[in-house]
Amino acid sequence: MKLSILDIVEDTTVDGPGFRTAIYCAGCPNACPGCHNPESWNIRNGKMMETDEVLAYVLADEFADVTFSGGDPMFQADGFAELARKIKANSSKSIWCYTGYRYEDLLRRPQQAELLRWIDVLVDGRFVETLKDPDLLFRGSSNQRLIDVQQSLASGEIRLHQLENAF
């Protein structure tokens, strides 16, 4: 399966705890005012890559975890679910995912719910410029949540990720 990818950044420390391989996808219908990456809105701005090609970048760094960002990975949920399954099958890497959608809404969409099955932490919610807070770790605005997806799926209610456990 192919994904529209803007960039793959290795050893970043701004898209989750520790060193991470960040996969920035193209395509985002949210178009949040003040977005730090507006060139990502158009899916045609990315380069088409096979999931195995992206997987090779991820597995090349045995110490870095993974972040899906964008754009919005939920806009290409089928491809990112395939990639996430392959990452989990071949490594013990944690996967963080940024999305402008709310967790509750994603659960009602089959393709997005499938991707959630493979995500460890979801940073959900649209970026809201009036709620921008540079002191927040790994979020742009205070409405966004860091959700422990696996605990949330298991319990049936939202469980927030505890950052003190992340370092």
Side-chain angles (χ1 to χ4, degrees):
M1 185 171 287
K2 291 193 176 207
L3 291 166
S4 181
I5 302 295
L6 282 174
D7 200 6
I8 298 174
V9 179
E10 298 171 277
D11 292 331
T12 179
T13 58
V14 298
D15 296 311
F19 289 106
R20 309 190 77 77
T21 300
I23 301 161
Y24 291 92
C25 68
C28 183
N30 296 311
C32 301
C35 173
H36 76 284
N37 202 7
E39 64 275 7
S40 71
W41 297 350
N42 186 339
I43 197 163
R44 290 186 295 276
N45 286 344
K47 172 187 171 191
M48 296 307 292
M49 297 177 71
E50 292 287 343
T51 55
D52 285 342
E53 187 180 357
V54 179
L55 179 66
Y57 279 95
V58 170
L59 297 179
D61 187 340
E62 63 183 286
F63 300 109
D65 287 312
V66 182
T67 298
F68 298 160
S69 193
D72 196 320
M74 292 296 172
F75 192 66
Q76 300 183 68
D78 289 338
F80 274 97
E82 178 180 297
L83 176 60
R85 275 192 305 274
K86 291 178 178 182
I87 291 168
K88 292 296 187 178
N90 290 285
S91 73
S92 60
K93 296 176 182 295
S94 77
I95 301 174
W96 279 42
C97 181
Y98 284 79
T99 182
Y101 297 99
R102 295 194 36 93
Y103 174 81
E104 298 88 339
D105 296 328
L106 296 172
L107 288 175
R108 294 191 288 269
R109 298 175 169 182
Q111 289 88 358
Q112 286 80 6
E114 175 61 21
L115 175 51
L116 287 176
R117 290 184 51 217
W118 305 100
I119 300 299
D120 296 294
V121 175
L122 183 74
V123 183
D124 83 331
R126 293 172 58 100
F127 171 75
V128 178
E129 199 165 17
T130 58
L131 300 176
K132 182 177 179 177
D133 183 347
D135 293 327
L136 292 172
L137 282 175
F138 311 125
R139 295 173 285 166
S141 56
S142 61
N143 63 299
Q144 295 172 314
R145 302 175 291 183
L146 299 175
I147 297 174
D148 184 316
V149 177
Q150 298 309 306
Q151 282 188 9
S152 298
L153 290 173
S155 70
E157 56 187 51
I158 293 175
R159 303 279 189 201
L160 296 180
H161 177 69
Q162 301 302 312
L163 280 174
E164 60 268 13
N165 294 334
F167 297 98

